[in-house]
Amino acid sequence: MDSGFVDCHCHISAREFEEDLEDVIQRSSEVGVETLVAVTEEVGEFERVLQLTERYPRLLAPCFGVHPLQVVGGLEQRSVKPQDLDAARPHFYKHRERIVAVGEIGLDFTPWCAPSQQDRDHMMEVFVKQLSIAKELDLPVNVHSRSAAQVTIATMREQGISRALLHNFAGRPSAALEGVKAGYLFSFPPAVCRNQQRDRLIRQIPLEHICLETDSPSLGLEKHVRNEPCNIVLSCRYIADVKGVSPETVRLVTSQNAYRLFPKADTRGLRQCSGLTDCEETLRPGLP
């Protein structure tokens, strides 16, 4: 079955899209975006992403997750605390049929984000607990791993995680290859086009382990300019150039990879049999 683009990691429920979401969706449709895997960062976003999924049921694939960094007072960030997950935990189970993955979760050991050992310990505790939830619910994970690539991959392997996407991966190629051995996938946003720093990494990861993402509204081609899902074409073209293959090959292979990792996000058959209740329930249980 032919596939359009799958944006494996975007924040479509972010407030940056509130005023012109219809236009954003239209532009993504015009370039061939087929599915948006919509991650969340804290419990306050969960209801919003479900509402958007009801509004765009053939496009959005919602995820619940508690990010390693939490926003306080609208701007300031702090490292996650166990009580942040305590508030979110019941929602994973209540909406287990509707979510396609647990994410965005992970570790961020950047010094200014996790300055103390206690901060890093809390991050690890919250991460491991969410990995456990994902295993219990038989869901893949959508993972953040800044300044913590090796420990993130090692932790997932220790916890028996077999299905994972490491988004915006910027670790060493050796760490990535450990992830490849574990069966994990890696995605890259349009920001990789800014320079050639990750070319070697992209060359070494097999295309069968790569997905496309935008991380909208962040990590676009230009810093401080809102990114959108339609910019997934930039990631596709860049990876194609680095790999020496056609953009069409990258689009098709990365979409197949994405649906293999996130099977509940695959509504291609649903589009073909739209209006048939039994078909809808088979392809995405819990779909409104």
Side-chain angles (χ1 to χ4, degrees):
M1 189 181 295
D2 198 8
S3 300
F5 289 109
V6 179
D7 187 345
C8 276
H9 186 104
C10 68
H11 299 263
I12 202 66
S13 58
R15 61 179 179 274
E16 287 88 343
F17 293 124
E18 287 179 352
E19 293 186 3
D20 64 342
L21 182 59
E22 287 285 352
D23 294 335
V24 170
I25 296 298
Q26 179 61 32
R27 286 190 287 271
S28 72
S29 177
E30 288 171 357
V31 302
V33 174
E34 185 173 78
T35 300
L36 300 177
V37 179
V39 296
T40 51
E41 296 185 340
E42 49 93 17
V43 66
E45 283 189 90
F46 292 0
E47 184 59 32
R48 168 72 170 162
V49 80
L50 290 181
Q51 290 173 352
L52 291 178
T53 302
E54 291 177 1
R55 188 171 165 187
Y56 304 103
R58 311 293 183 264
L59 177 66
L60 263 64
C63 309
F64 283 2
V66 177
H67 193 278
L69 301 177
Q70 295 291 293
V71 176
V72 181
L75 292 174
E76 184 181 351
Q77 286 186 325
R78 62 162 172 79
S79 59
V80 71
K81 300 181 185 300
Q83 52 264 40
D84 297 316
L85 178 59
D86 292 341
R89 189 181 187 99
H91 298 273
F92 290 94
Y93 297 94
K94 179 179 179 181
H95 298 289
R96 62 192 299 167
E97 297 298 329
R98 300 184 68 183
I99 57 177
V100 305
V102 173
E104 178 177 359
I105 66 174
L107 301 172
D108 194 321
F109 288 171
T110 310
W112 55 87
C113 295
S116 71
Q117 185 61 47
Q118 184 180 54
D119 291 328
R120 293 188 287 275
D121 289 346
H122 282 165
M123 276 188 190
M124 181 63 78
E125 179 182 345
V126 172
F127 182 41
V128 168
K129 285 182 176 178
Q130 289 186 98
L131 295 178
S132 178
I133 291 171
K135 285 178 63 179
E136 184 178 351
L137 300 182
D138 192 24
L139 291 172
V141 290
N142 204 318
V143 178
H144 175 106
S145 59
R146 188 166 61 170
S147 299
Q150 287 184 312
V151 68
T152 300
I153 290 170
T155 300
M156 291 194 296
R157 297 187 74 171
E158 290 166 4
Q159 296 299 317
I161 296 298
S162 59
R163 293 183 293 156
L165 177 75
L166 288 113
H167 105 94
N168 188 34
F169 190 78
R172 295 178 182 274
S174 58
L177 293 178
E178 286 300 311
V180 168
K181 290 179 185 177
Y184 303 154
L185 278 70
F186 302 81
S187 58
F188 301 95
V192 296
C193 305
R194 296 177 192 166
N195 55 56
Q196 298 177 327
Q197 290 180 353
R198 281 188 266 183
D199 286 12
R200 179 167 170 259
L201 176 65
I202 292 170
R203 275 194 294 268
Q204 292 199 24
I205 298 174
L207 186 57
E208 291 72 24
H209 287 265
I210 291 178
C211 289
L212 300 178
E213 66 156 297
T214 62
D215 200 27
S216 305
S218 302
L219 298 184
L221 184 61
E222 300 178 57
K223 289 183 179 181
H224 312 303
V225 175
R226 186 186 73 171
N227 190 19
E228 295 186 11
C230 65
N231 290 328
I232 198 167
V233 297
L234 302 176
S235 299
C236 180
R237 291 170 188 161
Y238 190 83
I239 291 170
D241 287 343
V242 172
K243 288 283 193 186
V245 298
S246 71
E248 290 75 18
T249 296
V250 172
R251 173 177 58 82
L252 287 171
V253 174
T254 57
S255 294
Q256 290 168 1
N257 297 341
Y259 289 134
R260 187 175 73 250
L261 178 63
F262 304 116
K264 290 173 69 177
D266 188 354
T267 59
R268 289 173 293 176
L270 179 57
R271 295 183 187 93
Q272 295 178 0
C273 59
S274 180
L276 300 179
T277 303
D278 291 342
C279 180
E280 288 184 355
E281 187 61 28
T282 298
L283 286 156
R284 186 182 287 175
L287 182 72

